[in-house]
């Protein structure tokens, strides 16, 4: 997941605590909010007048930026904890001394590959997730590849079509389609 897609995902799930967030989604969001905060502080420092300081905290861009990014930052952290198989209550560990270090370690851990009680894994693109590849470079090579169980049937169909008559190929295609409907889709 790239930075634009990560920000889009986080902002579209602004108040969503359910589901899961991938490592790349979390870390892209963290990096971009950090860069945004640095930019907001730079703007505040450039317009700050030391002779006439404003006591209104909302007159500073950095305060508004932090207030805007707290809810999605909280929810993406909860969803990231869900992705590692932990409850969102683990977020409270950041309130104890050195708890932020534990939370940081949880954010680095790899995702659970299969479904867990919080839902299916975040959708992945055809290529390896860049954030996962950076944090765990061996992961794409060690993960078992899912195979298409019906690829064998498609190959058999193709070979028969090449060898046999069109009627035989059509009959086999109908047979395979019917088998798929009954066994996989559960339809009669």
């Amino acid at each position: 997941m790239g930075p634009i897609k990560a920000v889009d995902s986080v902002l579209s799930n602004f108040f969503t605590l359910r589901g899961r967030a991938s490592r790349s989604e979390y870390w892209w969001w963290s990096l971009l909010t950090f860069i945004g905060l640095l930019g907001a502080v730079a703007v505040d420092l450039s317009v700050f007048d030391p002779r006439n300081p404003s006591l209104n905290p909302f007159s500073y861009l950095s305060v508004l930026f932090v207030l805007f990014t707290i809810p999605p930052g909280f929810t993406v952290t909860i969803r990231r904890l869900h992705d590692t198989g932990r409850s969102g209550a683990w977020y409270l560990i950041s309130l104890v001394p050195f708890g932020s270090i534990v939370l940081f370690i949880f954010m680095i851990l790899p995702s659970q590959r299969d479904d867990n009680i919080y839902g299916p894994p975040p959708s992945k693109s055809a290529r390896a997730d860049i954030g996962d590849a950076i944090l765990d470079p061996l992961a794409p090579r060690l993960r078992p590849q899912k195979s298409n169980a019906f690829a064998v049937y498609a190959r058999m169909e193709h070979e028969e079509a090449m060898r046999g008559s069109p009627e035989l190929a059509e009959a086999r295609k109908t047979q395979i389609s019917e088998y798929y409907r009954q066994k996989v889709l559960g339809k009669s």
Side-chain angles (χ1 to χ4, degrees):
M1 177 178 294
I4 307 268
K5 190 173 179 184
V7 170
D8 180 48
S9 177
V10 171
L11 293 179
S12 65
N13 295 312
F14 202 85
F15 293 109
T16 305
L17 294 174
R18 293 181 184 207
R20 296 166 61 172
S22 66
R23 271 193 294 199
S24 58
E25 179 181 350
Y26 175 81
W27 287 109
W28 277 119
W29 173 256
S30 298
L31 176 67
L32 294 175
T33 55
F34 177 73
I35 291 170
L37 182 62
L38 288 179
V41 168
V43 168
D44 286 346
L45 290 176
S46 68
V47 298
F48 179 72
D49 183 13
R51 292 170 287 157
N52 188 16
S54 173
L55 297 177
N56 182 4
F58 295 109
S59 65
Y60 299 107
L61 184 61
S62 57
V63 173
L64 295 173
F65 182 80
V66 167
L67 289 175
F68 175 75
T69 57
I70 284 176
F74 174 75
T75 58
V76 76
T77 303
I78 298 295
R79 287 184 282 116
R80 178 70 192 116
L81 285 168
H82 289 173
D83 194 40
T84 62
R86 289 171 179 75
S87 167
W90 275 100
Y91 189 80
L92 298 174
I93 200 165
S94 62
L95 299 176
V96 300
F98 303 108
S100 295
I101 295 170
V102 174
L103 189 64
F104 177 75
I105 291 170
F106 286 161
M107 297 297 109
I108 292 175
L109 291 176
S111 304
Q112 286 187 336
R113 286 183 278 168
D114 300 324
D115 293 358
N116 63 19
I117 62 171
Y118 304 105
S123 60
K124 290 194 178 262
S125 61
R127 62 180 181 75
D129 209 9
I130 187 120
D132 290 345
I134 291 170
L135 295 173
D136 192 4
L138 296 178
R141 288 180 282 171
L142 296 178
R143 289 191 184 125
Q145 298 296 319
K146 291 186 178 180
S147 63
N148 183 354
F150 297 100
V152 174
Y153 294 113
R155 183 173 177 185
M156 286 172 40
E157 177 186 349
H158 178 70
E159 287 175 0
E160 282 186 27
M162 298 304 280
R163 278 187 268 136
S165 66
E167 294 84 20
L168 181 63
E170 189 61 36
R172 184 70 176 151
K173 186 176 183 180
T174 306
Q175 183 183 11
I176 291 171
S177 297
E178 187 61 33
Y179 178 82
Y180 178 77
R181 251 185 308 224
Q182 287 177 353
K183 300 293 184 182
V184 177
L185 299 177
K187 296 179 181 178
S188 300

